[in-house]
Amino acid sequence: MNNELSLLGLAMRAGKVLSGDELVLKAIRSREAALVILAGDASANTQKKFRDKCSSYQIPLLIGYDRDALGSSIGKEGRVIMALTDKGFAGLLRKRIGDSSEVEYIEYTGAEG
C-alpha cells in the first residue's frame, strides 16, 4: 500500500473517514466533508453525481485509485466513495498526492482549507 493510502487508514482509526454513498452525500450537504475521494473505477453516473455535488457545495474531490485499493486502505472491502471529515488529514493527503500516477483527477473547488 502506498503512502497516501496508509494515511487513509490512520484517518479511519481516528474516526475521520466516512464511506458509502448516503453517508458521503450527507457529509457533503452538511459541509462536514473536507475532501471526497472517489474510486477511478466508479461508474460514469457515480462520477458525475459526485462531481456535481462537490462542485455545488465547493468540496474538493479526488478521483483515483481503484475500489479495492481504497477499501483495503481503511480495512474494509472495496469502497467506491469516501469522505475525510478532518481538514488536517485532508490537507496532508492532498500534499502527499502530488504527482501520483494513480490519481486521475483532482478538483479543488475553492474550499481549500
Side-chain angles (χ1 to χ4, degrees):
M1 182 184 329
N2 65 32
N3 226 3
E4 303 92 54
L5 295 182
S6 64
L7 182 65
L8 286 176
L10 183 61
M12 181 70 175
R13 288 187 294 279
K16 303 298 182 184
V17 175
L18 299 174
S19 69
D21 201 66
E22 291 304 315
L23 285 175
V24 172
L25 282 174
K26 184 178 176 184
I28 291 169
R29 289 183 188 120
S30 68
R31 299 188 194 284
E32 181 184 1
L35 176 66
V36 173
I37 304 162
L38 181 65
D41 58 353
S43 72
N45 286 341
T46 300
Q47 287 193 23
K48 181 181 179 346
K49 176 168 92 175
F50 282 100
R51 276 185 173 159
D52 292 349
K53 193 62 74 175
C54 287
S55 178
S56 175
Y57 286 89
Q58 297 185 331
I59 306 290
L61 172 68
L62 178 147
I63 300 176
Y65 309 102
D66 62 36
R67 65 185 71 214
D68 293 328
L70 290 178
S72 69
S73 72
I74 61 169
K76 307 272 185 184
E77 291 195 18
R79 294 290 186 239
V80 172
I81 187 78
M82 295 191 288
L84 282 170
T85 58
D86 183 85
K87 288 184 181 186
F89 277 119
L92 189 55
L93 181 64
R94 291 191 332 221
K95 283 180 189 172
R96 284 191 180 180
I97 287 169
D99 300 324
S100 176
S101 62
E102 294 188 58
V103 175
E104 300 170 16
Y105 175 85
I106 188 159
E107 179 176 288
Y108 299 121
T109 55
E112 311 217 8

